[in-house]
Amino acid sequence: MPKETAVYTHGHHESVLRSHRWRTAANSAGYLLGELRPGMAVLDVGCGPGTITADLAALVAPGRVTAVDTGTGILEQAAAVAAERGLENVEFAVADVHALDFPDDSFDIVHAHQVLQHVGDPVQALREMRRVCRPGGVVAARDSDYAAMAWFPETSGLSEWQEVYRRVARANGGEPDAGRMLLSWARQAGFPDITPTAAAWCFATPETRAWWSGLWADRTTDSVYAELAVRGGHASTEQLTAIAATWRGWGVEDDGWFMVPHGEVLCRG
């Protein structure tokens, strides 16, 4: 497929949105919070269902947040979240991060959470994010790293899940191990000043284990990802059913522990 063309591996199945709606600025953009000030103009790229977007809008009010994604359906959900919170400083638009429809130097902050792993050309995406960011502003990106995910107890079923997911994501034109590559991509995009960091989500309480394992079990059998895995010959329906059962079994382990590491970059210049 062309370099800038990639298929969004997850889709917007309920099991995917169950995860995305959990995300907040605190648990998913903590590295950026110290840069935010009231009155700023923010671009939130790949906003999804809008929970992080709404947090950013509250933090920069009376400044404005422009939230973009690739389809109107998910933007309608994001707009509903903003409306429920009484936020009037958010606007929404369909956009392609490889070619943003905004003038140069339009925003103080340009933010992308779990986006660059899904695009066909992450360096071009960062160049565009840099173009629309004002001098002195910040481009912020955070992505997970599937190869570095870790869990206990060890189970071959989750190792199989990890391998299948990474194959599917790469076949779709994405990079599932994007977290470790953000610094390199930002350098290639021409940023002279980059602050790289890392952070992690951890699911290790009975409630978080049940939630995380349940959404991945459902995603493995019922989402766009499942369809793409079978259609692309990466796994059979029977394999995916067995992987989902492994997820559910891990979710009830008394000592179950799962870590999702993320790479982060704050880019200036």
Side-chain angles (χ1 to χ4, degrees), residues 4 9 18 25 49 51 55 57 77 98 109 131 150 160 167 178 183 187 203 224 234 252 262:
E4 292 184 9
T9 298
R18 200 185 314 162
T51 50
D55 286 350
Q77 295 187 43
H98 298 102
I109 302 286
R131 179 185 65 79
E160 186 178 9
R167 287 200 302 269
L183 174 59
R187 283 178 171 165
F203 306 104
V224 168
H234 306 289
V252 297
H262 299 85

Side-chain angles (χ1 to χ4, degrees), residues 146 149 157-165 216 243 247 258:
Y146 276 78
M149 292 183 187
L158 291 188
S159 296
E160 186 178 9
W161 159 78
Q162 185 182 51
E163 293 168 5
V164 170
Y165 178 83
W216 265 108
I243 291 171
W247 269 115
F258 198 103

Side-chain angles (χ1 to χ4, degrees), residues 76-93:
E76 290 171 358
Q77 295 187 43
V81 169
E84 288 168 6
R85 300 193 191 183
L87 297 166
E88 299 180 350
N89 62 328
V90 191
E91 57 189 8
F92 301 90

Side-chain angles (χ1 to χ4, degrees), residues 11 13 22 43 55 99 110-111 113-114 150 153 161 164 166 171 185 223 225 234 244 247 263:
H13 184 265
W22 166 81
L43 176 65
D55 286 350
V110 183
H111 167 259
H113 183 265
Q114 311 289 20
W161 159 78
V164 170
R166 292 172 73 226
W185 289 344
S223 69
Y225 158 66
H234 306 289
W247 269 115

Side-chain angles (χ1 to χ4, degrees), residues 63-85:
R64 296 198 61 81
V65 173
T66 300
V68 299
D69 213 303
T70 57
T72 57
I74 195 63
L75 290 174
E76 290 171 358
Q77 295 187 43
V81 169
E84 288 168 6
R85 300 193 191 183

